[in-house]
Amino acid sequence: MMNKDVAKIMIGEEDLDGIVSRLAEEISRDYSGDDKRLVLLCILKGSIVFTGDLMKKLTVPVEIDCMRVSSYGNGTESGGNVNILLDLVRPDLDKCDVLIVEDIIDSGRTLAYLVGYLKHKGVKSVKTCTLLDKPSRRVVEFEPDYKGVEIPDEFVIGYGLDYAEMYRALPYVGILKPEVYENK
Ligand code: IMP
Ligand code: MG
C-alpha cells in the first residue's frame, strides 16, 4: 500500500532491485583483483537501505564503514556547506579502496567535498556510487563513477531517503506530496 503522503511511486521495489543488481555487477567486476580492498562507505543516514541491499549482491570481499554528513538542514533545499557529523577513523586508510555509497546527488556538494576530503586523508583510491541523480540541480560539477538512475527535479523519499527524518523505511522511491512540506 502507498503511504498517504506519497503523490506517486517513482521507482518500485522490483525496479530498485534490478538497478541495485546491475550496480553490484559493475562494482564486483571492477573490484575483483587480488590487489583490491573494497570498503563501502555508507553515507548515513540516507544510504543505509541502498548500502545494505548492494553489499548482499556483491561477489567480491567487502568491508563496510560509515560517515555521517549533513548539507540539507531540515527542509527540501540544500545548504551551502558540508558538515562532518561522524568521521571515518581507521589506521589503514592507505590500503583501502573506498567506494562512497550515496542515496542521491543533488547540488553535488556532498560528494565533491567527500572525495576531496578522503583523498586528503590519504586513502588508496576513492570512487563514488549513487542510486539516484538529479543532474538538473547541480551547483558543483560532479559525475559519479557508478549511477543507478537519473531522475527529474522532484523531492523524493523512501528507500532510505527522508523528509524531516520520516519515510526512510518505505520500500520504494516516491514523490512526496508538495503540501506535506509547503504547509510546514
Ligand atoms: P547534495 O550535496 O546537494 O548533492 O545533496 C545530497 C544530499 O541531499 C543527499 O545525500 C540527500 O540526503 C539530500 N537530498 C537531495 N535531494 C533529496 C531528495 O529529493 N529527497 C531526500 N533527500 C535529498
Ligand atoms: Mg543523504
Side-chain angles (χ1 to χ4, degrees), residues 14-173:
E14 270 182 38
D15 288 340
L16 283 167
D17 189 70
I19 292 163
V20 177
S21 295
R22 196 242 313 147
L23 290 170
E25 267 173 42
E26 291 176 20
I27 294 164
S28 297
R29 186 193 59 214
D30 294 353
Y31 286 85
S32 64
D34 276 345
D35 53 330
K36 297 278 197 248
R37 179 154 168 206
L38 174 59
V39 177
L40 285 191
L41 183 61
C42 174
I43 305 304
L44 301 173
K45 305 172 196 170
S47 303
I48 285 182
V49 181
F50 176 37
T51 305
D53 282 352
L54 183 66
M55 64 196 270
K56 288 182 284 182
K57 293 178 188 282
L58 294 175
T59 56
V60 291
V62 61
E63 297 176 35
I64 306 297
D65 232 307
C66 297
M67 279 184 76
R68 187 169 168 211
V69 297
S70 76
S71 71
Y72 234 57
N74 293 318
T76 59
E77 282 302 313
S78 175
N81 49 334
V82 180
N83 300 310
I84 293 180
L85 305 178
L86 176 72
D87 204 351
L88 172 63
V89 183
R90 49 188 294 168
D92 55 352
L93 285 175
D94 58 325
K95 298 179 184 70
C96 294
D97 294 296
V98 175
L99 180 60
I100 304 173
V101 182
E102 250 296 38
D103 48 359
I104 186 165
I105 308 179
D106 186 58
S107 71
R109 285 191 188 101
T110 304
L111 280 185
Y113 175 82
L114 277 176
V115 168
Y117 179 78
L118 290 168
K119 281 185 180 159
H120 180 79
K121 267 171 104 79
V123 299
K124 184 175 148 215
S125 71
V126 56
K127 284 194 185 187
T128 56
C129 173
T130 190
L131 176 69
L132 308 174
D133 188 10
K134 287 184 196 171
S136 66
R137 298 262 306 172
R138 273 312 184 285
V139 175
V140 177
E141 217 177 294
F142 192 87
E143 254 320 296
D145 298 288
Y146 304 94
K147 182 192 301 198
V149 276
E150 294 189 353
I151 62 167
D153 182 12
E154 305 263 19
F155 193 81
V156 290
I157 44 143
Y159 200 71
L161 292 112
D162 75 308
Y163 169 67
E165 295 301 330
M166 295 302 292
Y167 313 109
R168 293 192 197 275
L170 297 177
Y172 50 80
V173 173

